[in-house]
Amino acid sequence: MSIVKRHLAEQEERLVLIEEICIDTGALVLDTATDEVYFSADEAAYKNAYVTVFQA
């Protein structure tokens, strides 16, 4: 695997983890019927997600 492909794969993995953290903290809402992800209106959830992602 070339270095570029490896970096892209690592970046994709990070983005997936960030999305999961944001869903877990309530900053993003997952519609399980359509697998769409939406922003929530909860400002405190955004702050908690930011802190959690930064610590991870």
Side-chain angles (χ1 to χ4, degrees), residues 1-8 10:
M1 179 183 286
S2 73
I3 191 164
V4 173
K5 287 183 180 180
R6 190 180 85 231
H7 284 299
L8 288 174
E10 290 171 356

Side-chain angles (χ1 to χ4, degrees), residues 10-28:
E10 290 171 356
Q11 183 67 16
E12 181 67 27
E13 184 179 329
R14 282 188 213 101
L15 291 174
V16 168
L17 292 173
I18 290 170
E19 184 176 61
E20 289 175 1
I21 289 170
C22 290
I23 291 170
D24 289 344
T25 58
L28 294 175

Side-chain angles (χ1 to χ4, degrees), residues 21-22 25-27 40 42-55:
I21 289 170
C22 290
T25 58
S40 79
D42 187 1
E43 291 293 324
Y46 290 129
K47 292 177 185 176
N48 289 336
Y50 183 82
V51 169
T52 305
V53 168
F54 183 77
Q55 289 175 341

